[in-house]
Amino acid sequence: MPQISEKIHELTVGQLSARSGAAVSALHFYESKGLISSRRTSGNQRRYSRDTLRRVAFIRAAQRVGIPLATIREALAELPEERTPTREDWARLSEAWRSELDERIKQLNRLRDHLTDCIGCGCLSLDTCVLSNPGDVFGERRAGSRLMVDKGRA
């Protein structure tokens, strides 16, 4: 039976960029962080297996919802090598991220709700300044704004 050439199953970095929508520099960055991998040709050119397309889509979707790259790398490490992530993989991993995202949403809502109270106060040590000085920790140390460290004092 004739074998299909390995070249058909591989993409250059330019092809991967064009097909995935990720910049070449982003693909190199993902590779440097261990999120994707390539092999090198005898001319030292990168070649990516076709499953890398789905991995890049997975990475970009996770980034869009605010998942840190280290967490994405851990998630991809749970998948077998040379296997395209499936819908089931995404569902399982995204479910694990749900509580983290819910907590971030709560924090952002709190920040939004308190933003108006903080603008223009200038003091940054008022009891009510929940953004720059939660719990008035700077006011306990001394009076006035203390977010900038005085020279000679810590």
Side-chain angles (χ1 to χ4, degrees), residues 26-38 46 48:
L27 297 171
H28 291 170
F29 179 75
Y30 294 159
E31 190 169 356
S32 74
K33 296 298 180 186
L35 297 165
I36 61 174
S37 61
S38 66
R46 290 178 169 93
Y48 297 91

Side-chain angles (χ1 to χ4, degrees), residues 105-142:
I105 290 168
K106 285 180 193 174
Q107 289 173 346
L108 287 170
N109 283 331
R110 280 194 302 270
L111 287 171
R112 180 203 58 214
D113 294 345
H114 293 291
L115 185 61
T116 306
D117 296 338
C118 185
I119 293 176
C121 83
C123 177
L124 304 181
S125 65
L126 297 173
D127 287 330
T128 60
C129 190
V130 296
L131 296 177
S132 297
N133 189 15
D136 194 28
V137 293
F138 293 109
E140 292 173 6
R141 295 182 192 157
R142 46 183 114 112

Side-chain angles (χ1 to χ4, degrees), residues 12-150:
T12 66
V13 71
Q15 290 168 328
L16 182 59
S17 174
R19 298 265 318 264
S20 69
V24 169
S25 59
L27 297 171
H28 291 170
F29 179 75
Y30 294 159
E31 190 169 356
S32 74
K33 296 298 180 186
L35 297 165
I36 61 174
S37 61
S38 66
R39 75 169 185 88
R40 297 294 183 134
T41 66
S42 58
N44 202 30
Q45 296 175 330
R46 290 178 169 93
R47 293 292 184 263
Y48 297 91
S49 61
R50 288 199 177 277
D51 66 284
T52 307
L53 275 169
R54 181 77 54 90
R55 287 180 179 264
V56 171
F58 184 97
I59 293 163
R60 294 184 61 164
Q63 282 185 298
R64 276 196 282 299
V65 296
I67 304 300
L69 287 179
T71 304
I72 297 169
R73 182 178 48 247
E74 291 168 9
L76 287 171
E78 292 179 20
L79 303 177
E81 285 293 319
E82 306 282 326
R83 180 168 75 69
T84 303
T86 63
R87 277 185 197 261
E88 292 77 23
D89 293 328
W90 177 256
R92 179 176 47 82
L93 294 168
S94 63
E95 182 62 33
W97 299 332
R98 196 173 208 55
S99 63
E100 181 182 337
L101 291 173
D102 287 342
E103 183 55 36
R104 280 199 219 155
I105 290 168
K106 285 180 193 174
Q107 289 173 346
L108 287 170
N109 283 331
R110 280 194 302 270
L111 287 171
R112 180 203 58 214
D113 294 345
H114 293 291
L115 185 61
T116 306
D117 296 338
C118 185
I119 293 176
C121 83
C123 177
L124 304 181
S125 65
L126 297 173
D127 287 330
T128 60
C129 190
V130 296
L131 296 177
S132 297
N133 189 15
D136 194 28
V137 293
F138 293 109
E140 292 173 6
R141 295 182 192 157
R142 46 183 114 112
S145 179
R146 294 291 173 229
L147 290 180
M148 295 182 68
V149 177
D150 295 330

